[in-house]
Amino acid sequence: MTAAAPATMPRIAIHPGWVRVCHWINAVAILVMVGSGWQIYDASPLFDFTFPRQIALGNWLAGAIMWHFAAMWVLVVNGLVYLALGFATGRFRRKLVPVRPRELAADIKAALTFRLAHEDLAHYNAVQKLLYIGVILCGVVIVLSGLGIWKPVQFQELTALFDGYDTARYVHFFAMAAIVAFLVVHVSLALIVPKSLRAMITGR
Amino acid sequence: MRWKKAIPGVDQALLVKDAAKLMPDPMRRQFLRGAASVGALAFLTGCDIIDGDTAESVLRKVSDFNDGAQAAIFSRTKLAPTYKESDITRPFPFNAYYSLAEAPMVDGASYKLEVAGLVDNKTPWTLDALHALPEVSQITRHVCVEGWSAIGSWQGARLSDFLRRIGADTRARYIWFKCAEGYTNTIDMASALHPQTQMSFKFDNKPLPRAYGFPMKIRIPTKLGYKNPKYVVAMEVTNTDKGGYWEDQGYNWFGGS
């Protein structure tokens, strides 16, 4: 079992192939969904701001919707494959749980003072575990709320789960905001610790 | 509540602004050019790896695929949620690609609904004859493709009843609508036969005002706003997809909700 082997062994990949493939497909899908989502938001803003059109995808509403409902399939199919393999291979169980409050407190303190260790990339610290679980849950919420907005008649039970069409739009927006906030931290840390980026590309 | 401000009301300045926002710039018809998202998308959009026209044609193909997916998801019996009188959005927004001042002014006395295509009886219908049809009522949510929604109250005749009355071939694929200002719309037969699809002559139990499509609006609560044509003057039962005003510019053809 590769799971039991020490991750420092050179022949064992830190991230198996399916994780890396899913990760990069997801990365592209998320960027397209967020970029086109900003353009769609601008057509009827929920708050007193709009996203600059230079960073919004699709040029106008129809183009943005085309992008959004094309990348939707990529995001959902890839996400389902990732979730299925994450559970089936035991990766989620091994890597993401448990998140112990004491470890979490210590790791948050270490992270804020820039003393969080990264010797072993195969082992996630408590902050990483919490953020990865959190962003996976955000992914589930953003897809479900999105389906509720897309099909408030055919999937009306789902829309009702989010307290109706209007509230579902807010849920969808805040899930996007949480994912973008995660992305900022995630990409920054990957650039600060380049070997983590290499591991997600080559597996080692 | 703040979101209510986002709903375009009858305010003229807002309307013009809204219409301008929706109008595609002919120079910007390609959805890709100059649109780089989160910087990282520059590789998709900025360089020549993916040509803009190719990407647009791929996106249009996916949009066609999504028409099929939505037709498969569509249920002939599932009803749009209905609401209480007190839930009605007041004032219900006027929304079009033109201002209310430019909206069609149809003369009800001389109005005749033209019926064409695969139907037994092509006699045009006067408003009096249309108003004599059995009335149904609904309070449902109008969902705009832009994202905002509003709850309205519509009264009129079931489109399915009307189609049977004129001897329409309901095995045909489409119904095409033509409006007084030139707006057009094609819908699928399954949606046309849905029990809540209505030829609306009244809003909130009062004759349909000009803002909401006098003398007739096709109210389809299972479809987005742009698939709910106002000022309808003609309909054709056909097997040819004649497209529509917004659909031809890139909005999804099925437009289901």
Side-chain angles (χ1 to χ4, degrees), chain A residues 165-188:
Chain A
Y165 178 84
D166 290 320
T167 313
R169 291 182 67 204
Y170 282 94
V171 172
H172 201 60
F173 178 90
F174 286 118
M176 177 280 295
I179 288 171
V180 170
F182 167 85
L183 259 179
V184 170
V185 175
H186 183 65
V187 173
S188 306

PDB file of all heavy atoms in Angstrom, chain A residues 165-188:
ATOM      1  N   TYR A 165     -35.061  31.935  -4.577  1.00  0.00           N
ATOM      2  CA  TYR A 165     -34.200  32.399  -5.668  1.00  0.00           C
ATOM      3  C   TYR A 165     -33.272  33.545  -5.247  1.00  0.00           C
ATOM      4  O   TYR A 165     -32.063  33.507  -5.507  1.00  0.00           O
ATOM      5  CB  TYR A 165     -35.085  32.826  -6.844  1.00  0.00           C
ATOM      6  CG  TYR A 165     -34.317  33.364  -8.019  1.00  0.00           C
ATOM      7  CD1 TYR A 165     -33.765  32.516  -8.971  1.00  0.00           C
ATOM      8  CD2 TYR A 165     -34.130  34.740  -8.170  1.00  0.00           C
ATOM      9  CE1 TYR A 165     -33.042  33.011 -10.039  1.00  0.00           C
ATOM     10  CE2 TYR A 165     -33.412  35.245  -9.236  1.00  0.00           C
ATOM     11  CZ  TYR A 165     -32.871  34.382 -10.168  1.00  0.00           C
ATOM     12  OH  TYR A 165     -32.153  34.881 -11.216  1.00  0.00           O
ATOM     13  N   ASP A 166     -33.838  34.554  -4.606  1.00  0.00           N
ATOM     14  CA  ASP A 166     -33.031  35.740  -4.281  1.00  0.00           C
ATOM     15  C   ASP A 166     -31.916  35.431  -3.293  1.00  0.00           C
ATOM     16  O   ASP A 166     -30.782  35.888  -3.463  1.00  0.00           O
ATOM     17  CB  ASP A 166     -33.935  36.857  -3.742  1.00  0.00           C
ATOM     18  CG  ASP A 166     -34.815  37.438  -4.847  1.00  0.00           C
ATOM     19  OD1 ASP A 166     -34.322  37.598  -5.973  1.00  0.00           O
ATOM     20  OD2 ASP A 166     -35.994  37.720  -4.570  1.00  0.00           O
ATOM     21  N   THR A 167     -32.233  34.642  -2.262  1.00  0.00           N
ATOM     22  CA  THR A 167     -31.210  34.284  -1.273  1.00  0.00           C
ATOM     23  C   THR A 167     -30.151  33.384  -1.901  1.00  0.00           C
ATOM     24  O   THR A 167     -28.956  33.509  -1.578  1.00  0.00           O
ATOM     25  CB  THR A 167     -31.845  33.595  -0.057  1.00  0.00           C
ATOM     26  OG1 THR A 167     -32.982  34.351   0.344  1.00  0.00           O
ATOM     27  CG2 THR A 167     -30.868  33.511   1.102  1.00  0.00           C
ATOM     28  N   ALA A 168     -30.572  32.500  -2.813  1.00  0.00           N
ATOM     29  CA  ALA A 168     -29.620  31.617  -3.482  1.00  0.00           C
ATOM     30  C   ALA A 168     -28.557  32.424  -4.226  1.00  0.00           C
ATOM     31  O   ALA A 168     -27.395  32.032  -4.285  1.00  0.00           O
ATOM     32  CB  ALA A 168     -30.359  30.685  -4.448  1.00  0.00           C
ATOM     33  N   ARG A 169     -28.947  33.573  -4.768  1.00  0.00           N
ATOM     34  CA  ARG A 169     -27.965  34.429  -5.456  1.00  0.00           C
ATOM     35  C   ARG A 169     -26.910  34.938  -4.482  1.00  0.00           C
ATOM     36  O   ARG A 169     -25.730  35.013  -4.826  1.00  0.00           O
ATOM     37  CB  ARG A 169     -28.661  35.635  -6.112  1.00  0.00           C
ATOM     38  CG  ARG A 169     -29.531  35.274  -7.296  1.00  0.00           C
ATOM     39  CD  ARG A 169     -30.133  36.525  -7.919  1.00  0.00           C
ATOM     40  NE  ARG A 169     -29.106  37.358  -8.540  1.00  0.00           N
ATOM     41  CZ  ARG A 169     -29.229  38.668  -8.753  1.00  0.00           C
ATOM     42  NH1 ARG A 169     -30.321  39.300  -8.370  1.00  0.00           N
ATOM     43  NH2 ARG A 169     -28.267  39.347  -9.342  1.00  0.00           N
ATOM     44  N   TYR A 170     -27.351  35.306  -3.273  1.00  0.00           N
ATOM     45  CA  TYR A 170     -26.383  35.776  -2.268  1.00  0.00           C
ATOM     46  C   TYR A 170     -25.467  34.636  -1.826  1.00  0.00           C
ATOM     47  O   TYR A 170     -24.265  34.825  -1.667  1.00  0.00           O
ATOM     48  CB  TYR A 170     -27.113  36.385  -1.059  1.00  0.00           C
ATOM     49  CG  TYR A 170     -27.624  37.774  -1.317  1.00  0.00           C
ATOM     50  CD1 TYR A 170     -28.925  37.986  -1.760  1.00  0.00           C
ATOM     51  CD2 TYR A 170     -26.804  38.884  -1.146  1.00  0.00           C
ATOM     52  CE1 TYR A 170     -29.399  39.258  -2.030  1.00  0.00           C
ATOM     53  CE2 TYR A 170     -27.259  40.160  -1.396  1.00  0.00           C
ATOM     54  CZ  TYR A 170     -28.559  40.344  -1.840  1.00  0.00           C
ATOM     55  OH  TYR A 170     -29.011  41.607  -2.115  1.00  0.00           O
ATOM     56  N   VAL A 171     -26.062  33.459  -1.616  1.00  0.00           N
ATOM     57  CA  VAL A 171     -25.259  32.297  -1.210  1.00  0.00           C
ATOM     58  C   VAL A 171     -24.201  32.015  -2.279  1.00  0.00           C
ATOM     59  O   VAL A 171     -23.023  31.805  -1.972  1.00  0.00           O
ATOM     60  CB  VAL A 171     -26.154  31.050  -0.997  1.00  0.00           C
ATOM     61  CG1 VAL A 171     -25.311  29.803  -0.758  1.00  0.00           C
ATOM     62  CG2 VAL A 171     -27.120  31.275   0.167  1.00  0.00           C
ATOM     63  N   HIS A 172     -24.628  32.044  -3.546  1.00  0.00           N
ATOM     64  CA  HIS A 172     -23.726  31.793  -4.677  1.00  0.00           C
ATOM     65  C   HIS A 172     -22.592  32.829  -4.679  1.00  0.00           C
ATOM     66  O   HIS A 172     -21.432  32.493  -4.870  1.00  0.00           O
ATOM     67  CB  HIS A 172     -24.546  31.885  -5.970  1.00  0.00           C
ATOM     68  CG  HIS A 172     -23.929  31.200  -7.157  1.00  0.00           C
ATOM     69  ND1 HIS A 172     -23.650  29.859  -7.173  1.00  0.00           N
ATOM     70  CD2 HIS A 172     -23.545  31.675  -8.385  1.00  0.00           C
ATOM     71  CE1 HIS A 172     -23.122  29.539  -8.361  1.00  0.00           C
ATOM     72  NE2 HIS A 172     -23.036  30.624  -9.101  1.00  0.00           N
ATOM     73  N   PHE A 173     -22.947  34.086  -4.424  1.00  0.00           N
ATOM     74  CA  PHE A 173     -21.948  35.160  -4.404  1.00  0.00           C
ATOM     75  C   PHE A 173     -20.942  34.956  -3.273  1.00  0.00           C
ATOM     76  O   PHE A 173     -19.727  35.045  -3.481  1.00  0.00           O
ATOM     77  CB  PHE A 173     -22.639  36.524  -4.259  1.00  0.00           C
ATOM     78  CG  PHE A 173     -21.650  37.667  -4.189  1.00  0.00           C
ATOM     79  CD1 PHE A 173     -21.231  38.298  -5.355  1.00  0.00           C
ATOM     80  CD2 PHE A 173     -21.123  38.081  -2.977  1.00  0.00           C
ATOM     81  CE1 PHE A 173     -20.298  39.320  -5.305  1.00  0.00           C
ATOM     82  CE2 PHE A 173     -20.185  39.102  -2.920  1.00  0.00           C
ATOM     83  CZ  PHE A 173     -19.784  39.728  -4.082  1.00  0.00           C
ATOM     84  N   PHE A 174     -21.441  34.684  -2.062  1.00  0.00           N
ATOM     85  CA  PHE A 174     -20.524  34.561  -0.925  1.00  0.00           C
ATOM     86  C   PHE A 174     -19.660  33.307  -1.033  1.00  0.00           C
ATOM     87  O   PHE A 174     -18.505  33.305  -0.586  1.00  0.00           O
ATOM     88  CB  PHE A 174     -21.295  34.605   0.403  1.00  0.00           C
ATOM     89  CG  PHE A 174     -21.780  35.992   0.740  1.00  0.00           C
ATOM     90  CD1 PHE A 174     -23.136  36.270   0.853  1.00  0.00           C
ATOM     91  CD2 PHE A 174     -20.874  37.028   0.910  1.00  0.00           C
ATOM     92  CE1 PHE A 174     -23.583  37.543   1.134  1.00  0.00           C
ATOM     93  CE2 PHE A 174     -21.313  38.326   1.189  1.00  0.00           C
ATOM     94  CZ  PHE A 174     -22.666  38.578   1.297  1.00  0.00           C
ATOM     95  N   ALA A 175     -20.188  32.247  -1.633  1.00  0.00           N
ATOM     96  CA  ALA A 175     -19.365  31.054  -1.864  1.00  0.00           C
ATOM     97  C   ALA A 175     -18.239  31.397  -2.837  1.00  0.00           C
ATOM     98  O   ALA A 175     -17.094  30.960  -2.654  1.00  0.00           O
ATOM     99  CB  ALA A 175     -20.233  29.915  -2.405  1.00  0.00           C
ATOM    100  N   MET A 176     -18.557  32.224  -3.862  1.00  0.00           N
ATOM    101  CA  MET A 176     -17.520  32.684  -4.794  1.00  0.00           C
ATOM    102  C   MET A 176     -16.476  33.492  -4.033  1.00  0.00           C
ATOM    103  O   MET A 176     -15.261  33.281  -4.205  1.00  0.00           O
ATOM    104  CB  MET A 176     -18.171  33.545  -5.895  1.00  0.00           C
ATOM    105  CG  MET A 176     -17.218  34.166  -6.908  1.00  0.00           C
ATOM    106  SD  MET A 176     -16.372  35.678  -6.360  1.00  0.00           S
ATOM    107  CE  MET A 176     -17.735  36.834  -6.159  1.00  0.00           C
ATOM    108  N   ALA A 177     -16.939  34.412  -3.181  1.00  0.00           N
ATOM    109  CA  ALA A 177     -16.014  35.267  -2.433  1.00  0.00           C
ATOM    110  C   ALA A 177     -15.086  34.424  -1.557  1.00  0.00           C
ATOM    111  O   ALA A 177     -13.877  34.680  -1.479  1.00  0.00           O
ATOM    112  CB  ALA A 177     -16.810  36.265  -1.577  1.00  0.00           C
ATOM    113  N   ALA A 178     -15.641  33.389  -0.935  1.00  0.00           N
ATOM    114  CA  ALA A 178     -14.837  32.517  -0.082  1.00  0.00           C
ATOM    115  C   ALA A 178     -13.805  31.752  -0.914  1.00  0.00           C
ATOM    116  O   ALA A 178     -12.644  31.613  -0.498  1.00  0.00           O
ATOM    117  CB  ALA A 178     -15.755  31.535   0.662  1.00  0.00           C
ATOM    118  N   ILE A 179     -14.204  31.288  -2.088  1.00  0.00           N
ATOM    119  CA  ILE A 179     -13.282  30.542  -2.949  1.00  0.00           C
ATOM    120  C   ILE A 179     -12.165  31.468  -3.453  1.00  0.00           C
ATOM    121  O   ILE A 179     -10.996  31.085  -3.481  1.00  0.00           O
ATOM    122  CB  ILE A 179     -14.045  29.876  -4.125  1.00  0.00           C
ATOM    123  CG1 ILE A 179     -14.870  28.696  -3.581  1.00  0.00           C
ATOM    124  CG2 ILE A 179     -13.081  29.398  -5.205  1.00  0.00           C
ATOM    125  CD1 ILE A 179     -15.825  28.079  -4.582  1.00  0.00           C
ATOM    126  N   VAL A 180     -12.519  32.697  -3.810  1.00  0.00           N
ATOM    127  CA  VAL A 180     -11.504  33.648  -4.279  1.00  0.00           C
ATOM    128  C   VAL A 180     -10.548  33.992  -3.132  1.00  0.00           C
ATOM    129  O   VAL A 180      -9.328  34.063  -3.326  1.00  0.00           O
ATOM    130  CB  VAL A 180     -12.162  34.921  -4.868  1.00  0.00           C
ATOM    131  CG1 VAL A 180     -11.119  36.003  -5.120  1.00  0.00           C
ATOM    132  CG2 VAL A 180     -12.880  34.576  -6.177  1.00  0.00           C
ATOM    133  N   ALA A 181     -11.079  34.162  -1.922  1.00  0.00           N
ATOM    134  CA  ALA A 181     -10.221  34.436  -0.759  1.00  0.00           C
ATOM    135  C   ALA A 181      -9.268  33.260  -0.526  1.00  0.00           C
ATOM    136  O   ALA A 181      -8.070  33.454  -0.267  1.00  0.00           O
ATOM    137  CB  ALA A 181     -11.084  34.678   0.480  1.00  0.00           C
ATOM    138  N   PHE A 182      -9.796  32.042  -0.639  1.00  0.00           N
ATOM    139  CA  PHE A 182      -8.954  30.852  -0.511  1.00  0.00           C
ATOM    140  C   PHE A 182      -7.850  30.870  -1.568  1.00  0.00           C
ATOM    141  O   PHE A 182      -6.684  30.609  -1.280  1.00  0.00           O
ATOM    142  CB  PHE A 182      -9.799  29.578  -0.668  1.00  0.00           C
ATOM    143  CG  PHE A 182      -8.981  28.325  -0.854  1.00  0.00           C
ATOM    144  CD1 PHE A 182      -8.487  27.636   0.247  1.00  0.00           C
ATOM    145  CD2 PHE A 182      -8.683  27.855  -2.129  1.00  0.00           C
ATOM    146  CE1 PHE A 182      -7.708  26.491   0.069  1.00  0.00           C
ATOM    147  CE2 PHE A 182      -7.911  26.723  -2.309  1.00  0.00           C
ATOM    148  CZ  PHE A 182      -7.420  26.039  -1.208  1.00  0.00           C
ATOM    149  N   LEU A 183      -8.259  31.203  -2.816  1.00  0.00           N
ATOM    150  CA  LEU A 183      -7.307  31.223  -3.938  1.00  0.00           C
ATOM    151  C   LEU A 183      -6.148  32.174  -3.679  1.00  0.00           C
ATOM    152  O   LEU A 183      -4.997  31.853  -3.981  1.00  0.00           O
ATOM    153  CB  LEU A 183      -8.036  31.665  -5.215  1.00  0.00           C
ATOM    154  CG  LEU A 183      -8.426  30.574  -6.189  1.00  0.00           C
ATOM    155  CD1 LEU A 183      -9.159  31.167  -7.385  1.00  0.00           C
ATOM    156  CD2 LEU A 183      -7.167  29.845  -6.662  1.00  0.00           C
ATOM    157  N   VAL A 184      -6.466  33.346  -3.118  1.00  0.00           N
ATOM    158  CA  VAL A 184      -5.424  34.345  -2.842  1.00  0.00           C
ATOM    159  C   VAL A 184      -4.392  33.749  -1.885  1.00  0.00           C
ATOM    160  O   VAL A 184      -3.179  33.806  -2.137  1.00  0.00           O
ATOM    161  CB  VAL A 184      -6.045  35.636  -2.261  1.00  0.00           C
ATOM    162  CG1 VAL A 184      -4.961  36.582  -1.753  1.00  0.00           C
ATOM    163  CG2 VAL A 184      -6.902  36.320  -3.323  1.00  0.00           C
ATOM    164  N   VAL A 185      -4.874  33.138  -0.804  1.00  0.00           N
ATOM    165  CA  VAL A 185      -3.973  32.531   0.178  1.00  0.00           C
ATOM    166  C   VAL A 185      -3.236  31.347  -0.445  1.00  0.00           C
ATOM    167  O   VAL A 185      -2.009  31.226  -0.345  1.00  0.00           O
ATOM    168  CB  VAL A 185      -4.778  32.068   1.420  1.00  0.00           C
ATOM    169  CG1 VAL A 185      -3.878  31.321   2.404  1.00  0.00           C
ATOM    170  CG2 VAL A 185      -5.440  33.263   2.087  1.00  0.00           C
ATOM    171  N   HIS A 186      -3.980  30.488  -1.110  1.00  0.00           N
ATOM    172  CA  HIS A 186      -3.460  29.252  -1.688  1.00  0.00           C
ATOM    173  C   HIS A 186      -2.354  29.536  -2.720  1.00  0.00           C
ATOM    174  O   HIS A 186      -1.268  28.951  -2.657  1.00  0.00           O
ATOM    175  CB  HIS A 186      -4.638  28.536  -2.368  1.00  0.00           C
ATOM    176  CG  HIS A 186      -4.335  27.203  -2.974  1.00  0.00           C
ATOM    177  ND1 HIS A 186      -3.960  26.109  -2.231  1.00  0.00           N
ATOM    178  CD2 HIS A 186      -4.378  26.780  -4.271  1.00  0.00           C
ATOM    179  CE1 HIS A 186      -3.788  25.070  -3.040  1.00  0.00           C
ATOM    180  NE2 HIS A 186      -4.025  25.457  -4.292  1.00  0.00           N
ATOM    181  N   VAL A 187      -2.611  30.471  -3.629  1.00  0.00           N
ATOM    182  CA  VAL A 187      -1.626  30.793  -4.669  1.00  0.00           C
ATOM    183  C   VAL A 187      -0.415  31.497  -4.056  1.00  0.00           C
ATOM    184  O   VAL A 187       0.731  31.196  -4.401  1.00  0.00           O
ATOM    185  CB  VAL A 187      -2.275  31.642  -5.794  1.00  0.00           C
ATOM    186  CG1 VAL A 187      -1.226  32.128  -6.781  1.00  0.00           C
ATOM    187  CG2 VAL A 187      -3.348  30.838  -6.512  1.00  0.00           C
ATOM    188  N   SER A 188      -0.668  32.398  -3.090  1.00  0.00           N
ATOM    189  CA  SER A 188       0.453  33.088  -2.424  1.00  0.00           C
ATOM    190  C   SER A 188       1.378  32.084  -1.762  1.00  0.00           C
ATOM    191  O   SER A 188       2.597  32.151  -1.910  1.00  0.00           O
ATOM    192  CB  SER A 188      -0.067  34.060  -1.361  1.00  0.00           C
ATOM    193  OG  SER A 188      -0.990  34.938  -1.933  1.00  0.00           O
TER     194      SER A 188
END
